Amino acid sequence: AIVCEGFRRTDGLFDIEGALTDVKSYPFDNRYRGVIQPGDPLHDMRMRLTIDEAMTIVAVEAATDRSPFAICVDAAPNYQALIGLKIEGGFTKRALARIGGVSGCTHHTELLGRMAATAFQTMAPIRRRSADASKIEDKPKRKPPLLGSCLAFAPDGDFAREHWPEFYEGPAPVDPS
């Protein structure tokens, strides 16, 4: 199970928290921990990314409470390498360059993609309000970053036609008259 949440802090920063728990419905042997009973987590891991409004990581906390190997806990401090990285397009690739492979933990690293999505969802209304407040009508509009990112935001879809008409790529609306 993966659970991710985003929170606004009183100091103006944001905490993006992720947790990964892996439980089985059957007992099995583990060389490090012995028999893992049904419902007892094989993996129980958490991570917190603290980001600013620009979505730059300013602090990282990672913890491994349960794992299949004793050495797994040693990967957590390596996630400090993410500090200074901005959550934006290409984030996962840049994060992997810093903590991928033997520097990190497969499960903590897997959380990063989900946490990045949670960061976008947490920040979207805040960033939208900030952008609306600083709009200048003469300023040329840039292509919305969400355009083309999923079916709902397809360049030829209804949402694009309604909200981003200058970037709409579908057929012209039919005049009902």
Side-chain angles (χ1 to χ4, degrees):
I2 294 175
V3 176
C4 296
E5 299 177 287
F7 304 94
R8 183 178 218 159
R9 297 169 25 155
T10 58
D11 63 2
L13 297 174
F14 300 83
D15 283 335
I16 308 302
E17 298 181 354
L20 181 146
T21 307
D22 174 15
V23 297
K24 310 293 185 213
S25 60
Y26 51 86
F28 62 96
D29 289 325
N30 176 265
R31 287 182 67 188
Y32 165 54
R33 292 178 34 205
V35 177
I36 308 292
Q37 295 297 329
D40 188 20
L42 176 62
H43 295 94
D44 189 5
M45 309 169 141
R46 292 170 280 108
M47 186 180 302
R48 176 183 298 129
L49 302 176
T50 301
I51 62 174
D52 61 18
E53 200 163 315
M55 295 185 56
T56 300
I57 298 171
V58 299
V60 177
E61 294 176 54
T64 300
D65 294 329
R66 299 212 181 145
S67 62
F69 306 103
I71 197 168
C72 293
V73 298
D74 293 346
N78 297 340
Y79 286 83
Q80 296 300 306
L82 297 174
I83 293 173
L85 197 59
K86 188 171 182 175
I87 299 174
E88 60 185 350
F91 168 73
T92 302
K93 184 177 181 179
R94 288 191 311 280
L96 284 173
R98 294 183 182 199
I99 49 81
V102 298
S103 296
C105 158
T106 301
H107 297 84
H108 272 123
T109 301
E110 179 66 24
L111 272 175
L112 287 174
R114 304 322 180 270
M115 293 175 73
T118 301
F120 278 109
Q121 293 297 318
T122 300
M123 299 300 296
I126 293 157
R127 296 179 88 190
R128 190 170 21 256
R129 278 193 299 267
S130 179
D132 288 347
S134 64
K135 254 188 193 169
I136 299 172
E137 291 307 316
D138 298 344
K139 194 175 177 181
K141 286 190 173 186
R142 291 182 296 160
K143 178 183 167 189
L146 290 176
L147 186 66
S149 66
C150 69
L151 182 61
F153 299 131
D156 61 349
D158 292 340
F159 190 91
R161 183 172 33 81
E162 183 179 338
H163 296 279
W164 304 312
E166 64 275 23
F167 299 102
Y168 175 68
E169 297 176 9
V174 178
D175 186 359
S177 56

